[in-house]
Amino acid sequence: MSLANHIEAYIKKLLMEASSEVIRLQRRELARRFGCVPSQINYVIRTRFTPDRGYIVESQRGGGGYIRIIKVGVPTKECFFENMVNEIGEAIDRTRAKGLISRLTNDKFISLRERLLVESALSALDEIIDELGDFPEYKYNIARAFLLKKLLCSISGGEGEDNDMSEL
Amino acid sequence: MSLANHIEAYIKKLLMEASSEVIRLQRRELARRFGCVPSQINYVIRTRFTPDRGYIVESQRGGGGYIRIIKVGVPTKECFFENMVNEIGEAIDRTRAKGLISRLTNDKFISLRERLLVESALSALDEIIDELGDFPEYKYNIARAFLLKKLLCSISGGEGEDNDMSEL
DNA sequence: ACCTCTTTGACCTTTTCTGACCTTCATTAT
DNA sequence: ATAATGAAGGTCAGAAAAGGTCAAAGAGGT
């Protein structure tokens, strides 16, 4: 097992043990504990504690600096989301996307405000791609699928599947 | 926790305890209480009790001098979001964006799950632009500002302002 | 041999803390 | 009245204490 895996496991253990969903680390301290350079900690966080795996990370520099990791609690049914991520696949058009999202609210898996966020993100994405250049429809569909999957994974609590936009 | 944080917490406690919204400090006295140099107090006030966090600070030099801190009433939700949309402006880098989002949760304007959605959307956006081609940093910043503003407006309940990515 | 993931180290940015020096104001002595 | 004094608070630059970034080297698997 790689060092990165050990550090990941250690941080997760801390999260489990913490009564709250939040822990506070010191990069220096952690690096010393594992006998590695501090930037190794950044690597672990960058690759393992991402938003789409349900983590929020904050940090502060300077004296008394820290890294705070928050695991967002997820009172939702994982298998439902997993299913939906499968349905999305590599690409998805606007209509199908809207259909899926509306199913999520009907089944009370996400709140109305959360739905609003998801829909806004999708429509903003279309506008952004419009402005970025002249791309064929299928790229919109791949990007939309990617974003939607990231969003769903993030609040599903699942460990975030593969998701790599290979064809874009 | 850093000394500055302790001093900040102490001043906030005084504000909570004071029946009115105003307290009066003596810089010297405070510095002595925390065993630091007086200018440390200025540092804390300059960095923590700023107008955009809802504080007004007055002071008087000379014998019988003082520092008066006034906590102004918390802004309404609409006003808060409007303010934030202004702060975002035409473009925003990753760090500033994270800072703003963290303020939203600290002030309880959005839930942790909502925050996770916003953070996921922002990081997915970066990845999508990466895949779409080779764009200069400023385009990321403009697209990020656009998306963030859309998301905030969507859940602010407000009328949603203008938001047009003119420079992208 | 190649590709991906990991590990390292050099260099950068942000935040905090301190101390030397400056300004303002009330009081007191002339 | 006026000048001197001493008691505040203010400013600023530099040192120290974190954490961040990036590119290159190393390891492991196919």
Side-chain angles (χ1 to χ4, degrees), chain A:
Chain A
M1 255 247 281
S2 68
L3 175 55
N5 288 152
H6 281 298
I7 296 173
E8 175 188 9
Y10 177 72
I11 294 176
K12 285 186 172 161
K13 185 163 72 72
L14 289 184
L15 272 165
M16 298 285 288
E17 286 169 4
S19 44
S20 79
E21 313 280 275
V22 190
I23 55 169
R24 203 183 120 113
L25 310 168
Q26 303 235 209
R27 192 179 77 149
R28 270 245 143 102
E29 201 280 310
L30 206 45
R32 214 167 29 73
R33 172 184 300 266
F34 285 94
C36 62
V37 293
S39 57
Q40 177 75 351
I41 308 301
N42 296 88
Y43 174 70
V44 173
I45 287 173
R46 196 190 334 126
T47 54
R48 325 292 219 253
F49 296 87
T50 56
D52 59 290
R53 293 186 186 192
Y55 297 95
I56 292 171
V57 178
E58 292 173 342
S59 67
Q60 187 85 90
R61 299 187 186 188
Y66 60 83
I67 296 176
R68 179 182 298 150
I69 298 183
I70 307 170
K71 170 67 176 173
V72 177
V74 272
T76 36
K77 310 267 186 316
E78 284 188 36
C79 63
F80 185 87
F81 280 101
E82 218 167 286
N83 220 312
M84 194 157 277
V85 167
N86 277 336
E87 268 189 69
I88 294 170
E90 279 297 323
I92 189 170
D93 63 33
R94 271 180 214 81
T95 316
R96 279 219 313 131
K98 287 217 66 160
L100 289 191
I101 296 168
S102 99
R103 258 172 56 202
L104 283 173
T105 31
N106 287 340
D107 300 349
K108 301 283 202 301
F109 283 118
I110 66 174
S111 73
L112 264 184
R113 270 163 62 108
E114 286 163 357
R115 171 175 181 177
L116 216 43
L117 282 176
V118 175
E119 301 217 351
S120 298
L122 290 182
S123 80
L125 176 63
D126 283 343
E127 292 184 65
I128 289 170
I129 299 178
D130 284 347
E131 294 290 323
L132 241 25
D134 205 3
F135 296 99
E137 195 60 22
Y138 81 92
K139 293 213 171 188
Y140 287 75
N141 293 341
I142 290 172
R144 190 180 299 113
F146 178 79
L147 175 58
L148 193 49
K149 283 185 288 186
K150 287 276 186 193
L151 293 180
L152 294 188
C153 283
S154 75
I155 57 170
S156 82
E159 272 306 88
E161 338 288 313
D162 294 342
N163 188 4
D164 69 357
M165 273 192 303
S166 37
E167 354 285 337
L168 217 172

Side-chain angles (χ1 to χ4, degrees), chain B residues 12-154:
Chain B
K12 285 187 172 158
K13 185 163 73 72
L14 289 184
L15 271 165
M16 296 286 287
E17 285 168 6
S19 44
S20 79
E21 312 283 281
V22 191
I23 55 169
R24 201 184 123 110
L25 309 168
Q26 303 236 213
R27 192 178 77 148
R28 265 247 141 90
E29 201 281 309
L30 248 193
R32 214 168 29 74
R33 172 185 301 266
F34 285 95
C36 64
V37 80
S39 57
Q40 177 75 353
I41 308 302
N42 296 89
Y43 173 70
V44 172
I45 288 172
R46 196 192 332 129
T47 54
R48 321 289 219 263
F49 295 88
T50 57
D52 67 284
R53 295 191 196 190
Y55 297 95
I56 293 171
V57 178
E58 294 169 341
S59 68
Q60 186 83 91
R61 299 187 185 188
Y66 60 85
I67 296 175
R68 180 183 297 150
I69 297 182
I70 307 169
K71 170 71 177 169
V72 317
V74 278
T76 68
K77 205 177 73 170
E78 279 82 9
C79 165
F80 188 87
F81 278 101
E82 200 177 314
N83 218 304
M84 194 157 277
V85 166
N86 275 335
E87 269 190 66
I88 294 170
E90 278 297 321
I92 189 170
D93 63 31
R94 271 180 217 80
T95 312
R96 279 221 313 135
K98 288 214 67 163
L100 291 191
I101 296 168
S102 139
R103 262 174 54 196
L104 282 173
T105 36
N106 285 341
D107 298 352
K108 302 285 198 303
F109 283 113
I110 68 174
S111 72
L112 267 184
R113 270 169 62 106
E114 287 162 355
R115 173 173 176 180
L116 197 54
L117 282 176
V118 174
E119 300 220 359
S120 294
L122 290 181
S123 81
L125 176 63
D126 282 344
E127 292 186 66
I128 289 170
I129 299 178
D130 283 347
E131 293 291 324
L132 242 24
D134 202 5
F135 297 99
E137 195 61 22
Y138 79 91
K139 293 213 172 187
Y140 287 77
N141 293 343
I142 292 170
R144 188 179 301 113
F146 178 79
L147 173 59
L148 193 49
K149 283 185 287 186
K150 284 276 187 191
L151 294 180
L152 292 188
C153 288
S154 77

